[in-house]
Amino acid sequence: MPTVLIVAGSDSSCGAGISADLETVRSRGCDALLAITSVTAQNDESFLASHPVPSIILRSQLEAVRQQAVDGIDSVKVGMLPNEESVEVLCDFLEAESCGNVIVDPVRSSSSGAPLASEAAFSLMMKRLLPLASIVTPNLPEARLLSEDARSEEMSLRELSEKILARGSDYVLIKGGHAEGEDCIDYLYGKGDSEGREFRHPRLAGGPFRGTGCRLSSGLAAGLALGDDVPQAMQNARTDLQDYLRASR
């Protein structure tokens, strides 16, 4: 089976983070390897605490992954990176192993608003990790942070996407869950695109939902590992996510 490396934080409730990633990747018929970046204590109601995994342990996990993946890693999903050390360790690994199909979900805070990445880690991620990314998948608030433009509130999705693409990734997917309106619109934009692509669906009642960004980015990673091109991987990941949300609701 194709192999997806998942680099993310834990979640006590299994609603988000590495447990949601693992469930998604395996449901698509891919094998998974894991490197946990942070241990969090959270559930559907509250966020209690977070403890970053020491860099020596993260490095050792990635070395174990390297030894296990004798046939190579087909794609990588990156979630929570709590501090600068975790960004450095991961980027060193990705560069040394020449990993492709790197999907970066640039999480800054939890659904409850608790910080998951330090400001310094987020800044370093923009400099070192985004140039290694195939797709970066921010929600709208994260996209505005990544643009580093004081006018970001006034920018169109295309303008925001162009700002983010300038940091080096091949594609940017701005997720529309935080926007207003009856429909949820995700916007995919790649280098050389003239218009970009919109993926639209009616907004589901019963939200907000936890772990949607984790599941969508993991679905993208699985699709690329299976050989889909980016638009097809996106369409399949969104369909699977919608099915999951309807069932869980």
Side-chain angles (χ1 to χ4, degrees):
M1 294 187 293
T3 298
V4 179
L5 168 60
I6 303 168
V7 183
S10 72
D11 177 354
S12 316
S13 71
C14 295
I18 212 157
S19 0
D21 295 327
L22 180 60
E23 181 181 0
T24 302
V25 165
R26 285 182 168 171
S27 74
R28 292 295 309 278
C30 295
D31 197 7
L33 296 170
L34 307 178
I36 298 175
T37 60
S38 185
V39 177
T40 75
Q42 59 178 305
N43 54 43
D44 291 344
E45 303 299 328
S46 60
F47 189 97
L48 283 73
S50 175
H51 182 72
V53 169
S55 58
I56 189 172
I57 301 299
L58 178 57
R59 187 177 291 108
S60 296
Q61 291 180 82
L62 292 171
E63 172 58 21
V65 163
R66 187 192 66 76
Q67 294 177 14
Q68 178 74 15
V70 291
D71 294 323
I73 296 168
D74 296 291
S75 67
V76 183
K77 181 271 163 89
V78 181
M80 179 181 181
L81 295 173
N83 52 31
E84 292 172 283
E85 291 83 0
S86 60
V87 178
E88 294 281 12
V89 168
L90 175 60
C91 289
D92 288 346
F93 174 83
L94 295 177
E95 290 170 348
E97 298 302 311
S98 300
C99 292
N101 294 330
V102 178
I103 314 302
V104 177
D105 185 12
V107 289
R108 184 73 172 86
S109 59
S110 68
S111 299
S112 62
L116 297 179
S118 68
E119 186 174 337
F122 201 78
S123 177
L124 183 60
M125 180 196 67
M126 288 192 283
K127 293 181 177 68
R128 277 209 70 187
L129 183 57
L130 263 58
L132 304 176
S134 303
I135 314 174
V136 57
T137 65
N139 58 34
L140 190 53
E142 290 161 350
R144 288 170 177 154
L145 286 174
L146 289 173
S147 75
E148 288 193 315
D149 194 308
R151 301 177 297 108
S152 62
E153 295 277 350
E154 306 162 7
M155 287 181 175
S156 67
L157 293 179
R158 177 173 176 172
E159 289 172 319
L160 280 173
S161 299
E162 288 174 344
K163 285 278 187 179
I164 298 168
L165 279 181
R167 300 193 177 281
S169 64
D170 297 322
Y171 285 86
V172 58
L173 169 68
I174 299 181
K175 298 171 291 190
H178 287 72
E180 297 180 353
E182 293 184 1
D183 288 345
C184 181
I185 303 171
D186 298 330
Y187 183 73
L188 178 68
Y189 192 80
K191 290 179 179 176
D193 280 357
S194 57
E195 296 296 334
R197 297 170 186 250
E198 286 189 357
F199 296 82
R200 181 188 298 260
H201 64 81
R203 194 176 297 275
L204 295 178
F209 302 97
R210 293 182 63 239
T212 54
C214 303
R215 293 179 185 276
L216 185 61
S217 54
S218 296
L220 278 168
L224 294 184
L226 289 163
D228 294 341
D229 61 20
V230 172
Q232 186 61 57
M234 174 60 184
Q235 186 61 63
N236 291 341
R238 283 184 96 255
T239 299
D240 289 348
L241 176 59
Q242 292 300 304
D243 291 345
Y244 168 80
L245 292 177
R246 289 189 184 96
S248 63
R249 184 182 59 174

